[in-house]
Amino acid sequence: MARTPKRFSQRVGVVSDAGGIWSFTYDTNWLDREDAFALSPAFALEGRSFVDGSSQRSVQWFFDNLLPEEEMRAAS
């Protein structure tokens, strides 16, 4: 059985897709941690949502490169 390292067993944030516009918001518990770190230079450790625009889609580009291809996500 795979184990998650303790340091990464807490939720960091939430990624949402509303009508094709992605957003990311850090979890408040993550922001309160002394050892919290930003996932990307584009996502500073702030309590606001980072929302993609019409031409700059930093949330989608970042998470698309972490997740399996779309067909694999739909199959699971």
Side-chain angles (χ1 to χ4, degrees), residues 7-55:
R7 147 179 185 177
F8 295 107
S9 62
Q10 180 179 2
R11 177 176 23 190
V12 173
V14 176
V15 177
S16 301
D17 176 0
I21 303 298
W22 289 38
S23 65
F24 172 72
T25 308
Y26 284 107
D27 189 275
T28 55
N29 291 322
W30 178 256
L31 292 172
D32 291 340
R33 288 178 62 118
E34 216 175 276
D35 60 345
F37 55 88
L39 292 183
S40 163
F43 312 136
L45 282 174
E46 300 174 359
R48 67 180 183 92
S49 292
F50 299 90
V51 181
D52 282 346
S54 58
S55 60

